[in-house]
Amino acid sequence: MNLILLGPPGAGKGTQAARLVERHGMRQLSTGDMLRAAVAAQTPIGIEAKAIMDRGEFVSDGIVSALIDAELLAMGPEVGAIFDGYPRTAAQAEQLDEILAKHGRRLDRVIELEVDEDELVRRIVGRFACATCGTGYHDSFKRPVTAGVCDKCAGSEFVRRKDDNEQTVRTRMSEYRAKTAPIMPLYEARGIVARIDGMAPIEQVTDALEAIVAAIPGSA
Ligand code: AMP
């Protein structure tokens, strides 16, 4: 199974992808996560990408497609892929077609999480994560049960993404509207698009996603 999760930043793609990984043994391929790892490791790609990411603009198509290609190469052909935050431009969508063909894979569904932008800004600007295990939290919606202590691993250090501030979030949303939303018609023409109300409670979004996945032939 190969799925694309699309939606503006903060739509819940990462959360839902993690659930698909748990339930179906798929792999989450998040170009945002890969780029953040490259920035942290100060690789040449990371050094080039850092300032672009801090502004909320897009890293070049060639770089992100090469990251995806390398990940797929390292994965067994039997492991399903969830593309999270990729493709984000028409050029990346074309490159993904070529990469999938090269690896003998076929795109099953493109699932778009539909959301309200102002509400999203509220969601994103409050989010933080445990520095040790990565569990996600939010200032208003999901604080650790004991303040300052991670529910999952009892870690006491937390991190916030540098690009989770209002101005950068607005730029990331306008990038999504201008460059990413226009790739939907391409996938619509292939009859593989499904849409979910991303503003619904997390569990409800997961249920809707599971229903879409269950309807894919051979998904069981
Ligand atoms: P994300 O975690 O998906 O919100 O990505 C964080 C940042 O990484 C984005 O704001 C971009 O600067 C960069 N990025 C991630 N994925 C892509 C992509 N597919 N194309 C271009 N830039 C990307």
Side-chain angles (χ1 to χ4, degrees):
M1 228 177 356
N2 295 283
L3 310 174
I4 295 176
L5 279 186
L6 277 182
K13 302 185 295 291
T15 303
Q16 298 300 336
R19 293 181 170 206
L20 286 172
V21 166
E22 230 168 71
R23 292 179 192 206
H24 300 277
M26 301 176 77
R27 269 288 296 283
Q28 176 185 3
L29 301 182
S30 157
T31 41
D33 286 348
M34 294 174 203
L35 289 167
R36 279 184 288 280
V39 170
Q42 298 191 319
T43 65
I45 285 179
I47 290 164
E48 185 180 335
K50 186 177 185 313
I52 300 171
M53 293 172 74
D54 285 349
R55 290 195 299 272
E57 294 167 9
F58 280 177
V59 172
S60 82
D61 295 327
I63 286 182
V64 290
S65 291
L67 289 171
I68 289 288
D69 190 17
E71 287 288 324
L72 285 177
L73 191 65
M75 272 164 64
E78 73 292 348
V79 181
I82 309 157
F83 300 98
D84 161 13
Y86 175 92
R88 261 167 148 112
T89 64
Q92 289 177 27
E94 265 178 47
Q95 287 158 356
L96 178 60
D97 281 342
E98 286 165 23
I99 293 169
L100 288 174
K102 190 172 101 183
H103 294 282
R105 289 173 178 264
R106 182 188 49 131
L107 198 53
D108 295 293
R109 286 285 181 285
V110 178
I111 304 163
E112 185 176 38
L113 296 176
E114 295 183 297
V115 293
D116 174 276
E117 284 197 12
D118 289 327
E119 175 60 27
L120 274 197
V121 173
R122 275 193 291 281
R123 275 196 198 175
I124 296 179
V125 170
R127 66 187 184 181
F128 60 99
C130 171
T132 312
C133 72
T135 297
Y137 295 98
H138 193 281
D139 292 328
S140 316
F141 312 127
K142 190 193 164 203
R143 272 187 254 174
V145 175
T146 308
V149 181
C150 175
D151 297 347
K152 197 164 173 194
C153 76
S156 58
E157 269 190 53
F158 295 88
V159 284
R160 279 173 201 268
R161 278 173 51 171
K162 196 164 174 215
D163 58 353
D164 278 352
N165 63 77
E166 177 150 3
Q167 195 188 345
T168 301
V169 169
R170 296 273 180 205
T171 304
R172 283 156 67 199
M173 289 198 175
S174 64
E175 287 275 77
Y176 182 82
R177 248 182 282 119
K179 296 176 184 164
T180 309
I183 67 181
M184 292 307 281
L186 182 134
Y187 292 127
E188 261 156 29
R190 296 188 203 167
I192 54 172
V193 172
R195 291 196 166 83
I196 297 179
D197 174 11
M199 303 316 286
I202 293 181
E203 293 303 332
Q204 221 167 296
V205 177
T206 303
D207 289 348
L209 196 55
E210 287 295 333
I212 291 166
V213 168
I216 297 173
S219 66

